[in-house]
Amino acid sequence: MAAGTISMQRIAILGGGIGGLAAAAFLNCQGLPAKVYEQAPRLAEVGAGLVIAPNAGRQLRELGAFEYLRERAVRLDTGWEFRRWEDGRILSAENLETACLDLYGEHTYTAHRADLLAAIRSRVPADSVELGRKCVGLDRCGDAYRIHFADGHSVEADIVIGADGVHSIVRGTVFGSAPATYSGTCAFRALVPADRAPDFARRPTQTLWIGPGHHLVHYPISAGEYVNLVAFAPAGDYTVESWTATATEREFLAEFDGWDRRLTDLIRAAGTPGRWALLDRAPLTRWSDGGVTLLGDAAHPMFPFFAQGAAQAIEDAAALARCLTADRDDPAAALRRYEQLRIPRTTRLQAVSHSRSHINHLPDGPEQRARDAAFAAEDPLVANGWIYGYDLDDAVARG
């Protein structure tokens, strides 16, 4: 094999989150070892819960990570259970027990983010991850790239994958450093121990309470040990974007004053919530430049209203590995093919995730009543088939 082919080159992944580790795992499965550089000193239990939709579940099974996750994941019986804010009346609900498998070849699950991260990391060689490596710069160095870290260390790589989040250094270096914008929406998050949660919240159900200017989602995670709670409200002048920032129970409750008592009781059971401002970036028309490319939130941060952020990062990782494997002799061409394959899909998801905020937050009135009637009439599983039924192998072949 010629010296210029991928297997003879150094692949660096900046960021050890879900997307970065998934990229390392899929590449490793294809015989393309990569090194992950993560700024955190350890891969701690950050974040809370997430939904693993069929499109993500299929990729995790192919990766061999699903069985590791299965013990801690919760398989949903019901999803898209929309409830009215003031009285909890169910507007619409979908039976997921068999429908997802029949339609898309996989169930829908929920999990703690840390459990998903651990499952993916189980498919990455231990010596392929370096912690405490915060990237502060990236330079072209002949035909390669030199990556600079905050501790003064630097490394060279032939292929650089920026999986370093919404504040991506790689994105800023390659495509300009325009800052992310504040969306005007903030999120509260909390984990409620199951023994403190009411029965309705412990069901294997993804429930969405929707009302004027706000909505709240809950579902069980961690083998039913906790109920994940995430809520969205106007941000006002709040601009902190951090997994570690917190609010008070009083602030959380104030946003849902007047809502169904069962919901506010669930909020009270949550204790001190986290709080962060949702950031926004316009879609990019390209992700790659030579041997450098982007992945996950670095490429396409999206609002969480379709629960597809982690799923799209996993899809990115799988597609990237397939493209690099298929075009080993020309990595730059492989990266161009990867972006051409993925950008149309992620751009569309960014758009529909944005629009969902308006739909979920309608004030009471004629438009809200029309929305509720539409919820009762539509089948979200069928309507969202373009998301959940996405065939990555077919897309790569066509791409």
Side-chain angles (χ1 to χ4, degrees):
M1 185 173 286
T5 59
I6 290 174
S7 63
M8 300 296 289
Q9 296 190 1
R10 301 155 294 181
I11 304 176
I13 301 170
L14 299 179
I18 289 169
L21 286 180
F26 280 109
L27 287 166
N28 184 65
C29 287
Q30 298 288 349
L32 302 175
K35 179 76 78 171
V36 177
Y37 300 95
E38 163 57 35
Q39 67 176 340
R42 61 191 180 92
L43 297 178
E45 269 196 32
V46 297
L50 44 74
V51 175
I52 302 173
N55 56 310
R58 290 194 304 273
Q59 297 306 317
L60 292 172
R61 283 191 188 275
E62 181 174 329
L63 184 61
F66 193 85
E67 289 308 311
Y68 186 101
L69 177 66
R70 189 176 191 136
E71 293 182 5
R72 301 290 293 166
V74 175
R75 197 177 94 184
L76 294 180
D77 291 342
T78 306
W80 300 104
E81 182 184 81
F82 288 98
R83 289 177 176 255
R84 181 165 165 75
W85 67 278
E86 62 183 351
D87 56 14
R89 175 165 54 90
I90 295 176
L91 305 173
S92 177
E94 292 300 315
N95 182 348
L96 304 184
E97 189 170 6
T98 59
C100 281
L101 189 62
D102 292 344
L103 288 168
Y104 308 123
E106 185 54 86
H107 295 289
T108 297
Y109 297 83
T110 58
H112 194 291
R113 184 175 294 268
D115 292 333
L116 175 58
L117 201 64
I120 295 172
R121 190 176 183 183
S122 73
R123 307 300 297 165
V124 179
D127 61 357
S128 295
V129 180
E130 287 193 16
L131 302 176
R133 298 295 193 194
K134 181 179 180 179
C135 175
V136 294
L138 175 68
D139 299 323
R140 191 74 185 244
C141 185
D143 292 333
Y145 301 88
R146 179 161 290 280
I147 304 165
H148 303 277
F149 299 101
D151 61 2
H153 183 70
S154 66
V155 297
E156 283 193 10
D158 303 292
I159 298 172
V160 178
I161 301 168
D164 47 344
V166 69
H167 299 293
S168 171
I169 291 292
V170 179
R171 176 173 174 147
T173 299
V174 177
F175 300 106
S177 57
T181 59
Y182 290 101
S183 67
T185 298
C186 71
F188 295 85
R189 61 178 173 84
L191 294 179
V192 183
D195 60 4
R196 294 173 55 187
D199 290 345
F200 78 86
R202 296 200 301 268
R203 298 171 301 140
T205 300
Q206 172 211 21
T207 299
L208 302 93
W209 297 70
I210 55 177
H214 301 67
H215 81 277
L216 184 147
V217 184
H218 59 75
Y219 45 78
I221 61 169
S222 303
E225 294 176 11
Y226 294 94
V227 172
N228 183 65
L229 188 63
V230 59
F232 303 92
D237 59 359
Y238 188 81
T239 59
V240 178
E241 193 274 326
S242 169
W243 282 113
T244 59
T246 61
T248 65
E249 179 184 304
R250 182 176 180 180
E251 288 172 322
F252 195 177
L253 282 168
E255 293 293 344
F256 292 89
D257 184 41
W259 287 50
D260 188 291
R261 174 67 180 271
R262 290 170 294 178
L263 186 65
T264 53
D265 285 347
L266 179 61
I267 291 173
R268 287 188 179 91
T272 301
R275 186 185 186 190
W276 78 101
L278 298 187
L279 299 183
D280 194 16
R281 285 190 185 275
L284 291 172
T285 57
R286 66 188 185 101
W287 298 348
S288 304
D289 182 24
V292 179
T293 197
L294 303 175
L295 182 151
D297 283 351
H300 49 73
M302 59 185 65
F303 291 170
F305 305 145
F306 266 87
Q308 279 289 309
Q312 291 308 302
I314 292 168
E315 282 189 8
D316 286 348
L320 178 59
R322 286 165 166 82
C323 290
L324 285 170
T325 301
D327 205 348
R328 291 172 180 257
D329 293 326
D330 192 344
L335 298 186
R336 290 194 300 271
R337 186 164 180 252
Y338 155 70
E339 70 175 15
Q340 291 164 4
L341 170 69
R342 294 296 299 157
I343 286 176
R345 176 164 168 78
T346 58
T347 298
R348 184 179 178 190
L349 267 163
Q350 283 182 283
V352 298
S353 296
H354 277 66
S355 66
R356 195 82 206 188
S357 173
H358 171 72
I359 293 168
N360 286 352
H361 296 176
L362 288 173
D364 286 350
E367 193 177 2
Q368 164 261 320
R369 290 191 290 272
R371 176 204 64 193
D372 294 353
F375 278 170
E378 73 177 7
D379 184 340
L381 283 181
V382 174
N384 297 333
W386 67 275
I387 301 175
Y388 306 142
Y390 182 66
D391 188 326
L392 187 56
D393 287 325
D394 181 61
V396 171
R398 287 185 287 104

